[in-house]
Amino acid sequence: MDQIKACRSFVRAVELGSLSAVAREQHSTQPTISKTIAALEKQLGVRLLERSTTSLTTTEQGKRFYERAKRVLEEFSEAVSDARGLTEKPTGLLRVNAPLGLGQLRLNALVLEFLELYPEIEVELILNDRFVDLVEDGVDVALRLAGSLPPNMIARKIASAQRYLVAAPAYLARHPEIRRPEDLASHRYIGFARPANGEVTQLSGPGGTVQIATRSGYLVNSSLAIRESFLMGAGLGICPSWLVHDLLESGQLQRILPAWSAAGQEASLLYPSRRYQSLRTTIFMNFMTERIPQLPGFAAPDFGRPVRP
């Protein structure tokens, strides 16, 4: 059995919703397409499609196989075109994963700019704050803001951001003045849920590096919620410059102990090491490598320092 042909018939059946429609498209017959997909199911040992006289639906295994098979066919087509020297412009679907806060505040505009430059490319931007499995979830490239990177991925460090203490003027007006890092222990601290170092704040400044046991009355696993909490005057905390750059510029937030800062945050692009990298993926990564360091709150990466969370 021609597996590529069988996969193509199955993918088109899912997309068109009809075996007859696939037959017309491929200048074949409905029984031939049905036998081809049945042979594919027999070889895989799973049922991919549920058939009736009026409908065609995928099984749970069929849904997963469709996503993977579609990408295999796209990469095969690109590989053939590249071998024949026919690759002239980037096309196709690109699935990108990024943190929610960064995606909404900064990355969304960049993706729209990218699509203006490359209208033949389609982008599916998946925003969440969990570490997805790029291979399992069919993601082409992910943007990570952390130091712990999966060992089976290739990472390209593209930007860095400072991290410092901030609070709203309203909060600072209601609470004791902060003159030194040790004063933080008596303040209400807002931080990211499951912090790497527990409820301990580490700062570096004129006196070296200090660790302060902070009182976290509120922990949340969303950078956008932390940003909003600062604005509401609910407390103070450490956050990356890209998250609050505009609020500091407008005076809605203020830096606390400006001579002190926390370890910086690094931005990296990740992609699966085992996957053929399409032209659209390469162009997208090059675009983001150039543009993200230019965003407010980001800078070109410091390759002399280790990556830190």
Side-chain angles (χ1 to χ4, degrees):
M1 181 182 64
D2 186 335
Q3 290 184 321
I4 293 294
K5 183 178 180 180
C7 285
R8 186 174 289 114
S9 296
F10 165 72
V11 167
R12 293 303 289 155
V14 174
E15 294 172 343
L16 297 176
S18 165
L19 297 182
S20 298
V22 178
R24 288 192 296 271
E25 182 180 79
Q26 297 185 4
H27 306 288
S28 183
T29 64
Q30 189 271 343
T32 299
I33 299 300
S34 181
K35 289 179 182 178
T36 298
I37 294 178
L40 178 63
E41 291 176 320
K42 182 178 180 180
Q43 186 177 56
L44 296 175
V46 297
R47 191 167 184 82
L48 301 174
L49 295 174
E50 294 291 352
R51 306 163 177 82
S52 73
T53 55
T54 58
S55 65
L56 190 71
T57 59
T58 54
T59 64
E60 192 61 37
Q61 295 94 330
K63 291 178 183 177
R64 293 198 299 268
F65 185 75
Y66 165 76
E67 295 295 336
R68 302 291 289 273
K70 183 178 180 180
R71 304 185 72 80
V72 167
L73 291 174
E74 289 178 349
E75 292 178 359
F76 177 75
S77 178
E78 289 177 354
V80 170
S81 296
D82 183 64
R84 294 175 176 173
L86 300 177
T87 303
E88 297 178 353
K89 60 181 181 179
T91 61
L93 176 65
L94 186 68
R95 301 189 80 229
V96 181
N97 175 251
L100 180 61
L102 180 65
Q104 290 190 4
L105 292 176
R106 309 293 178 216
L107 198 60
N108 185 63
L110 279 189
V111 171
L112 293 176
E113 180 183 338
F114 176 79
L115 290 173
E116 286 290 326
L117 294 173
Y118 302 98
E120 298 297 320
I121 296 179
E122 302 171 40
V123 173
E124 182 180 343
L125 181 59
I126 305 160
L127 301 178
N128 52 48
D129 289 323
R130 67 180 180 87
F131 280 78
V132 301
D133 186 314
L134 273 64
V135 175
E136 182 68 25
D137 293 347
V139 173
D140 294 290
V141 58
L143 181 63
R144 292 283 186 266
L145 296 171
S148 179
L149 303 176
N152 60 335
M153 297 291 123
I154 296 177
R156 180 195 297 182
K157 189 162 64 172
I158 62 171
S160 62
Q162 292 182 304
R163 294 170 66 236
Y164 31 62
L165 281 161
V166 300
Y171 174 86
L172 296 175
R174 298 194 311 266
H175 295 83
E177 183 179 1
I178 302 173
R179 297 181 177 179
R180 55 180 188 158
E182 289 74 15
D183 295 336
L184 296 172
S186 61
H187 281 262
R188 185 176 178 84
Y189 186 87
I190 297 174
F192 203 84
R194 299 183 301 277
N197 299 320
E199 295 186 20
V200 174
T201 299
Q202 183 170 298
L203 297 171
S204 298
T209 299
V210 297
Q211 290 188 339
I212 308 299
T214 50
R215 182 168 56 90
S216 298
Y218 182 45
L219 296 175
V220 59
N221 69 338
S222 166
S223 57
L224 292 176
I226 291 175
R227 173 185 161 103
E228 184 180 25
S229 299
F230 291 151
L231 280 173
M232 295 174 64
L236 56 79
I238 292 176
C239 63
S241 50
W242 63 263
L243 182 62
V244 293
H245 183 273
D246 56 329
L247 303 179
L248 292 170
E249 289 284 310
S250 65
Q252 293 175 272
L253 293 181
Q254 294 180 10
R255 280 196 65 177
I256 305 168
L257 302 174
W260 295 79
S261 61
Q265 186 182 69
E266 306 291 349
S268 299
L269 290 173
L270 272 66
Y271 60 94
S273 59
R274 301 190 305 274
R275 178 175 293 167
Y276 165 78
Q277 192 176 104
S278 65
L279 178 60
R280 60 182 176 273
T281 302
T282 301
I283 290 176
F284 180 82
M285 292 181 65
N286 290 341
F287 176 84
M288 290 298 169
T289 298
E290 178 184 355
R291 295 289 285 109
I292 287 181
Q294 300 174 14
L295 291 175
F298 277 110
D302 183 353
F303 292 102
R305 295 182 305 165
V307 176
R308 289 174 148 178

